[in-house]
Amino acid sequence: MVERTPFLNFFTHLILFAGFVFCIAPFVIVTIAASHNLKDVNDVPMSLLPGSDFWINIKTAWVTADLGPKLLNSFIVAGGTAIGKVIVSALTAFSIVYFRFPGRMLMFWLIFITLMLPLEVRIVPTYAVVANVLEPYQAIMDVTGLSWLIEKISGVQVSLSLGLLNSYSGLILPLVATATGTFLYRQFFLTVPDELTEAARMDGAGPLRFFIDILLPLSRNNMAALGTIMFLWAWNQYLWPLLITTDQSHAMAVTELKQLIPNVGGSPEWHIAMAGTLIVMLPPMILVVLMQRWFVRGLIATEK
Amino acid sequence: MASITIRGVRKNYGKTQVVHGVDLDFASGEFVVILGPSGCGKSTLLRMIAGLEEISDGTIAIDGTVVNQLEPRERGCAMVFQNYALYPHMSVAQNIGYSLKVAGVPAAERTQRIQAVARTLELEHLLDRKPMALSGGQRQRVAMGRAMIREPKVFLFDEPLSNLDAKLRVQMRSEIRKLHRRLNATSVFVTHDQVEAMTLADRLVVMNGGRVEQVGTPGEIYTRPASRFVATFVGAPAMNMLEGTVELDGLSLLGGSRRLAVPRAGLPVGTKVAMGVRPEAVRLVAPGTSGALDATVDLVEELGAGRVIYVDLDGSPFSVMTSEAIHPEPGSTVWLKFSADDMHFYASETGGRLDVFKASVPEPA
């Protein structure tokens, strides 16, 4: 639609600009605060002119919170979640859209229902499962009397145990097990013309071949979009990592920021906290900037 | 090269039956066109041959082997789809060669065969392009190339020309025909376009409502339509149909307002029939000619080489096609005449062809 409405154009740009300022302001304030020294950052009101201690603060924050290994942990967990999520979502959506098996709709609705149960809601049972992944199986065996039977016959008492606390798998797997990606993929697969599926069948491609050769390349944009969202989401997780990592070696960057926040009665080193925030914010920001084009395309456009 | 034998094939979707028991035989190397209006089951039948639809009942055999339970890839069929169904992320060469890649043909042989197919279809300069960057006709050719490269026993075409513009359609039609002459593979072509059907077919299968109405050469189907449906469906403009009743000395038409002197032959007096005559068999004659019918002109459609005159015959629409330079004004009266040989008769109730009137006319070969 082409319209010549100078006044309206000006007005829309004004609104856009206001939104932009609104979004960027906290970020600017954080950056300025990170460049002050201890005295300036605690002035009321804080000076909005940048100070000169930016790099010193960054370094202090990096060393104090030991951010190097923590960032690496965050990368592993966020990356693992993103990749795992893309693979699981694509596969589940593939089976739901392309196969007619008994209980298909039941499966679909079961997955759908998990949308209403985010991690925070089921955090206690999830913690129990991660603490011992085999716990549910143990419970089933106990209830059905199977463990009793085995104990009677072999004399061995069955006690299954596989703990994932303080491990990357423990951090990643519960984050992977959500339904959002499955839906994104399902919607995409539904837009893929049936004739393409049929052409692949006529060309002799089996289901897996079709999935790898045709569907996956076609869903590149979706992969990028979903991967980006999941990376950001996992990167910003707080409650879950805090809960299951008691060991510092598996702590994530976002949770470790707490180390930098001044304690009651401690010296108010907000400039260090702000510098640490900047560091932790940077990787997702870079990712969004890099993936922005793919990301938008994957969410809105259906390529013809 | 393969023959196809279809025996008692039915297709049900849930409780609805869309194909009601079809028996057909396609000879090896034959070009068969299945013609019918949308929803007549022609595409379903084709897809059952291809293996994309399950066969609810009956058998389909290719070269004597019943293929009901075989996967599409095991049937030796290749298919050209209406929307081409090219893989959008692959280049033309990859699209054409995909079936070979799946079959594990070595890369060198693959390239060679892709080249050969591309040469036949004049696609050589486009091999690196993506389907998005091709015109409709080029996409169509890529889709054909994809089917050709497998050297299939049977070619299946599912309305492949309906997305092309009129000029390209005519061109692709003759290319398909030429291709068939060279490859000589059994081809089944589904269309709702009768010109396409007439020009391409060795043999034509006319379907309606999930049943086969008539099988024959295009000529047979045009000159001796086996049912009222075929008579009105094949030919453009459509055959004129007038309801009438058999009388002692001929036929009373349009509730008795018109009479035609035709031999009654074996039909009992009072039988309700529909009399059909093709617009191109009707002549315009001088006013008052004996045996001519007078009618009021409604509309004249100019076709360049000829014209179609739509007239009103006591309230019934009737059309005349003429190549003479006659341009009657709407509202004027014209006189129409046609010979008994050009009349087709169908039973009013069943729509079946009645040949009793034409006992004297020799059977067409």
Side-chain angles (χ1 to χ4, degrees), chain A residues 158-182:
Chain A
V158 182
S159 168
L160 305 170
S161 167
L162 174 60
L164 290 178
L165 297 179
N166 282 316
S167 73
Y168 289 129
S169 351
L171 278 165
I172 294 172
L173 289 179
L175 298 183
V176 167
T178 55
T180 40
T182 306

Side-chain angles (χ1 to χ4, degrees), chain A residues 20 48 63 70 93 96 105 149 176 201 210 222 271:
Chain A
F20 171 72
L48 286 178
V63 174
K70 302 296 177 313
I96 282 175
M105 282 323 276
L149 201 66
V176 167
R201 280 181 76 190
F210 169 68
N222 290 64
H271 52 306

Side-chain angles (χ1 to χ4, degrees), chain A residues 268-289:
Chain A
E269 292 177 320
W270 286 107
H271 52 306
I272 308 292
M274 291 301 129
T277 310
L278 272 186
I279 299 174
V280 174
M281 243 197 290
L282 204 61
M285 246 177 67
I286 294 173
L287 184 80
V288 169
V289 169

Side-chain angles (χ1 to χ4, degrees), chain A residues 195 198 202-203 213 304, chain B residues 47 87 89 98 132 150:
Chain A
E195 289 195 332
E198 290 170 354
M202 295 302 296
D203 275 345
D213 282 355
K304 287 279 161 226
Chain B
R47 292 160 56 82
Y87 310 123
H89 59 292
Y98 184 63
M132 282 249 289
R150 299 174 49 203

